[in-house]
Amino acid sequence: MSQKEIIGKGTIAKLKEILSERKLNNIFLVTGKSSYEKSGAKDAIEPILSDYKVTHFSDFEVNPKVKDIEKGMEIFKKNNCDFVIAVGGGSVMDIAKSINILASNEGNPTEYIKNQKNIENKGKVLVAVPTTSGSGSEATRSTVVYIDKTKYSLDHEFIIPDYTIVDSQLTMNLPKHITASAGMDALSQAIESYWCIDSTEESKDYARKAIKLIMGNLIDAVDNPTRESREAMAEASFLAGKAINISRTTACHAIAYPITSYFGVPHGHAVALTLAQMLVYNSKVTEKDILDKRGINYVHETLKEIAGLIGADDIQDANKRITSLMEEIGLKTRLSEIGVKTDEDIEIIIKNGFNPQRVNNNPRLLTEETLRNEILDEIK
């Protein structure tokens, strides 16, 4: 589905024009519990919404659960909502997108989430307004849903928001730890998209631009945020989202989900934990374990390009630079530092970190043995 992109400082004002173009009665507004006000979005948006009936939904957990979606769907249907506005971070986007699409398709939501039933109907018009710079969910056709600590994805072209308003002024008050974690999520998305076996020239172009923006602005955005660094990170997050919307993410994301579910590590931080070591692992690809049909030379060249994009001389230097970047913005880089301390903890990650689709998108085959010995053991 086509998406209208509105990017730049102050563009939240464009919401008024979007609403005036549509004949609607009841707006379903999805926000975080506190971020809506702290980001400045409430002050910017409420005057625009004053002439409309608004159903405000914020009663859900971070990392969306199916019970939260079912609760939201009930409220959505009860109020006959005909327009959706999502204002917040990745969890807000995923909740809003999931409620919108599932409320328009008959049957049990879990059947769609578990791919037991196909999405047939598009939801209502949805406007996505991110207040963090990381998830890229405002640009994607997928959502994340957790059922009993297991991560699932809804994925369909009908899910992509109709409008995205990327206004960096709504990220100016982000706390350091959220800026850091979200920024590493965007960097991981861009790098994974770049090496993904399903990458295209278009996705690599988005990813390339995102990596450059992040490497040049993330530290400032965390430690000394300026209008310029916030604008750059907001754009980078959106570009990384557009990249993974084409290629999807790979092994780092698959491994991250149990780290978040079982050890409470924020998603972006969890993804970044294996990023540097996965770069090294992929660089050792052989004819026996290559998954990218474009061949070993292509993969090697791609990884060299990634190293160059982050300002490194080679793969080992890239490993060090990613690790140093995480340390500089205050993120732990060892599993033991975030609560993964025993062999049993490692096995939890291995048992629950193998989403076949994401693992098989990686350029080099990843097995339980190689995950244990060449990735997790290296970052204990």
Side-chain angles (χ1 to χ4, degrees):
M1 301 294 293
S2 61
Q3 178 186 56
K4 186 168 182 180
E5 307 164 3
I6 305 169
I7 303 173
K9 184 176 182 293
T11 50
I12 189 60
K14 296 288 185 180
L15 179 61
K16 184 174 183 179
E17 295 177 22
I18 295 171
L19 293 176
S20 67
E21 291 172 359
R22 301 280 178 171
K23 293 181 179 180
L24 54 97
N25 297 303
N26 302 322
I27 294 173
F28 190 68
L29 174 66
V30 184
T31 75
K33 290 183 176 67
S34 60
S35 62
Y36 182 50
E37 185 170 353
K38 290 179 179 177
S39 66
K42 182 178 180 180
D43 288 341
I45 290 174
E46 288 207 341
I48 298 173
L49 302 183
S50 61
D51 293 333
Y52 301 90
K53 179 182 176 182
V54 178
T55 300
H56 189 178
F57 181 63
S58 62
D59 186 17
F60 53 87
E61 298 178 33
V62 175
N63 304 315
K65 314 297 188 294
V66 68
K67 63 182 177 63
D68 296 323
I69 291 168
E70 291 171 337
K71 185 195 310 177
M73 287 173 62
E74 183 178 349
I75 296 169
F76 184 93
K77 291 179 177 179
K78 181 180 178 181
N79 288 277
N80 295 313
C81 296
D82 54 11
F83 195 91
V84 182
I85 303 174
V87 186
S91 292
V92 170
M93 297 296 158
D94 286 343
I95 280 280
K97 288 157 69 177
S98 296
I99 291 170
N100 188 37
I101 195 68
L102 292 172
S104 299
N105 287 270
E106 296 295 327
N108 189 326
T110 302
E111 293 178 322
Y112 293 98
I113 294 166
K114 291 187 173 182
N115 289 318
Q116 296 166 348
K117 212 167 185 180
N118 294 324
I119 292 170
E120 296 181 355
N121 303 315
K122 190 182 183 306
K124 307 299 183 182
V125 172
L126 190 155
V127 179
V129 185
T131 60
T132 64
S133 299
S135 79
S137 185
E138 69 275 7
T140 69
R141 49 175 279 161
S142 62
T143 71
V144 171
V145 183
Y146 285 88
I147 301 176
D148 298 328
K149 291 192 175 183
T150 299
K151 179 262 175 189
Y152 294 87
S153 291
L154 278 167
D155 189 295
H156 197 281
E157 64 174 350
F158 287 167
I159 293 174
I160 191 166
D162 300 274
Y163 297 86
T164 291
I165 299 175
V166 181
D167 186 341
S168 61
Q169 74 177 17
L170 303 181
T171 70
M172 287 302 298
N173 296 326
L174 273 179
K176 282 189 174 186
H177 69 283
I178 295 177
T179 303
S181 181
M184 287 306 299
D185 189 15
L187 180 62
S188 299
Q189 287 176 351
I191 289 176
E192 287 182 73
S193 175
Y194 205 88
W195 73 39
C196 180
I197 66 170
D198 293 323
S199 68
T200 66
E201 287 306 313
E202 182 182 5
S203 70
K204 287 173 75 174
D205 187 48
Y206 292 137
R208 188 182 298 112
K209 291 174 181 175
I211 294 168
K212 289 179 179 179
L213 285 169
I214 294 165
M215 294 307 298
N217 292 278
L218 179 55
I219 292 174
D220 281 347
V222 173
D223 294 334
N224 184 32
T226 61
R227 181 172 62 84
E228 290 77 16
S229 64
R230 290 296 193 186
E231 284 181 356
M233 288 305 300
E235 182 182 358
S237 174
F238 182 63
L239 289 168
K242 287 177 76 67
I244 63 167
N245 192 52
I246 295 170
S247 67
R248 305 296 188 271
T249 52
T250 65
C252 295
H253 269 71
I255 301 164
Y257 293 113
I259 296 175
T260 292
S261 292
Y262 290 88
F263 301 97
V265 179
H267 171 71
H269 187 185
V271 173
L273 281 165
T274 60
L275 181 64
Q277 191 58 36
M278 191 64 69
L279 181 61
V280 174
Y281 175 80
N282 286 338
S283 72
K284 298 176 182 178
V285 65
T286 69
E287 292 288 359
K288 291 183 178 180
D289 57 22
I290 189 168
L291 296 179
D292 197 317
K293 294 179 180 178
R294 290 168 288 195
I296 284 182
N297 290 338
Y298 171 83
V299 172
H300 284 161
E301 187 59 34
T302 296
L303 298 178
K304 283 181 185 177
E305 289 172 8
I306 291 172
L309 288 169
I310 64 175
D313 296 327
D314 53 35
I315 298 299
Q316 289 299 333
D317 186 31
N319 176 302
K320 292 176 183 177
R321 284 177 181 263
I322 293 170
T323 302
S324 295
L325 173 62
M326 291 178 66
E327 291 171 345
E328 194 160 351
I329 61 176
L331 297 181
K332 305 295 186 184
T333 61
R334 315 299 296 183
L335 293 175
S336 59
E337 296 173 326
I338 51 94
V340 181
K341 297 181 177 180
T342 67
D343 289 342
E344 288 76 17
D345 292 339
I346 294 289
E347 293 308 310
I348 287 172
I349 297 173
I350 292 170
K351 179 182 177 183
N352 296 282
F354 268 81
N355 176 303
Q357 184 178 4
R358 281 189 174 82
V359 170
N360 290 333
N361 280 345
N362 205 58
R364 183 184 178 194
L365 177 68
L366 187 70
T367 65
E368 290 190 6
E369 181 181 2
T370 54
L371 173 56
R372 183 184 295 107
N373 298 332
E374 298 189 46
I375 304 295
L376 301 180
D377 275 358
E378 293 292 330
I379 59 171
K380 277 185 176 177

